[in-house]
Amino acid sequence: IISEKKFLYNFFENQIPANYNFEIEKTINRLNKKCSRKINFQFPEGLQKFYTFLSNFFRLQGFFSRESVISNRVSYGACCIDDIFSKLIGANISFHYGHSCLVPIIKCMIPISYIFLEIFFDQSFLVEILKKNFRKTENSWSFLSTIQFISCFKKIENELLFYFKKIHVPQNKPLSPGEILGCTSPLLWKCKNIIFIGDGRFHLESSMIESPNSRFYQYNPFSHLLFLTEFSIKEFLEERKYILLNSFAKQKNICLIIGALGRQGDLHIFRKTSELLMIKKFKYFLTFSTEITLDKLDMLGYEKLDVFIQIACPRLSYDWGKVFRFPLLTSFEISIILGFAKLKNIQYPMDYFSEKGGFWSTYMKPQKNFFLRKF
């Protein structure tokens, strides 16, 4: 066993970055428990370059006897897990890299193993930057990140606990402490300063929409730089309110789009949304789509449809709403229009995968006669 571990360590040392945790031993244990003829890998675009190396290594070690396959479909997040594709190609097991476990494994068609792919970095740079540039009077700090960096929070908290009065790592279950998604973030109205660890703005903007009164900083663990980041919540709300006011100005033809990219199209949200439309006596056209693009909506809506409701990714509507010729609404926004939810002054909830999410979210299941009582 010692020699095997030493062999693995020496083999990987020259092949992958030393601070990337591909959980090789976990993968090997999983493959040993199940004799796999075919294995499917699903990577985000930034990690696909490691596919050839991982596939060749596992095949040489005899962990699967036939072949390995990489999914050619885009993986934006854990909601894009493609167990259906894996089943169709005859895979015995699928490994999904870079995202947390959002879709319950027991609901998948084949065995799924989530590899979080933790990325380790030197936290001392961030600690020293905070101590040198901020006074102790800045007493409240919250830390957020993607799943790759959450393991660093405990060490940062221990080093800053005696310098700042309050260090907080919020949790929005079922996500891990400090973890945020592009569509799900904890509500942090009472926290003045929030630090997001990671590169890119996609996940960060989710928290900025959810908690617009806070001040946000972004720490890039690769460049070791700390930035003050801003988001125009006023411009965002004005844009969405304009779209909402003009979407149902008259009786219009509605298209309900269910995302077919992995598990994006949540059936619970579809049933709730369709029942709302039926109660309000709106007729709608139902379609499935792996990608919701400008050309597809133009083709579907040409002289036929006027409003689109998408049950896929809410950020598609929020980030690209001005690009589409037709109103592209989310489950939350259709709840507002039909009188089932209220739009607060400066808050757009980002709780689509939260256990405490609203009617429009994944985990909220209405009780019997819920709709009849509401209307």
Side-chain angles (χ1 to χ4, degrees), residues 219-273:
Y219 177 74
N220 190 320
F222 303 106
S223 63
H224 302 296
L225 296 176
L226 182 69
F227 300 93
L228 175 65
T229 58
E230 296 181 349
F231 181 82
S232 179
I233 189 66
K234 183 179 179 181
E235 181 181 340
F236 169 77
L237 291 175
E238 288 178 351
E239 175 191 323
R240 297 314 299 171
K241 285 180 180 179
Y242 176 81
I243 292 174
L244 291 179
L245 291 172
N246 289 276
S247 57
F248 279 72
K250 299 178 181 179
Q251 184 76 17
K252 295 191 175 183
N253 298 320
I254 303 169
C255 179
L256 186 57
I257 305 176
I258 299 180
L261 184 62
R263 297 279 181 155
Q264 268 193 351
D266 189 271
L267 293 180
H268 292 300
I269 299 178
F270 163 67
R271 292 191 185 103
K272 290 182 285 188
T273 305

Side-chain angles (χ1 to χ4, degrees), residues 8-172:
L8 288 174
Y9 177 81
N10 293 333
F11 186 84
F12 283 106
E13 188 177 18
N14 299 322
Q15 300 291 330
I16 62 175
N19 60 328
Y20 281 53
N21 182 15
F22 279 88
E23 301 184 37
I24 298 300
E25 291 188 28
K26 171 185 172 180
T27 307
I28 290 174
N29 292 334
R30 189 71 190 272
L31 291 172
N32 281 332
K33 293 179 180 179
K34 186 176 181 64
C35 183
S36 303
R37 293 175 301 155
K38 184 185 288 189
I39 183 173
N40 179 52
F41 291 96
Q42 191 176 13
F43 296 93
E45 290 186 5
L47 298 175
Q48 289 182 356
K49 59 185 177 181
F50 297 110
Y51 162 70
T52 303
F53 158 68
L54 290 170
S55 174
N56 290 336
F57 173 74
F58 290 128
R59 186 185 295 109
L60 289 172
Q61 298 304 307
F63 293 116
F64 50 94
S65 56
R66 188 175 165 191
E67 60 180 319
S68 63
V69 179
I70 183 173
S71 175
N72 63 346
R73 302 177 75 177
V74 182
S75 176
Y76 296 113
C79 57
C80 299
I81 187 166
D82 213 349
D83 58 308
I84 300 175
F85 168 80
S86 303
K87 180 72 173 180
L88 290 174
I89 63 174
N92 304 101
I93 189 171
S94 179
F95 290 91
H96 184 95
Y97 286 81
H99 300 114
S100 55
C101 180
L102 289 184
V103 180
I105 297 174
I106 58 175
K107 293 185 178 181
C108 296
M109 300 182 69
I110 67 167
I112 302 291
S113 184
Y114 286 90
I115 308 297
F116 298 156
L117 193 61
E118 290 182 275
I119 301 176
F120 303 105
F121 67 98
D122 189 354
Q123 300 95 343
S124 61
F125 286 93
L126 175 59
V127 172
E128 291 303 317
I129 288 174
L130 293 177
K131 288 182 178 180
K132 289 182 179 180
N133 293 277
F134 297 96
R135 299 176 181 177
K136 293 183 178 181
T137 53
E138 299 284 351
N139 56 1
S140 179
W141 290 87
S142 289
F143 287 85
L144 301 171
S145 78
T146 57
I147 190 66
Q148 282 75 34
F149 303 105
I150 60 173
S151 61
C152 71
F153 287 145
K154 194 64 179 177
K155 185 175 180 181
I156 293 175
E157 184 178 3
N158 292 336
E159 294 189 18
L160 292 176
L161 197 58
F162 298 102
Y163 191 82
F164 298 111
K165 291 182 179 179
K166 185 177 180 181
I167 303 295
H168 181 48
V169 181
Q171 182 177 13
N172 196 353

Side-chain angles (χ1 to χ4, degrees), residues 340 359 364 366-375:
F340 204 85
F359 162 80
M364 193 279 187
Q367 298 176 357
K368 189 176 182 181
N369 299 326
F370 182 77
F371 298 96
L372 297 178
R373 293 199 305 270
K374 191 69 180 178
F375 294 105

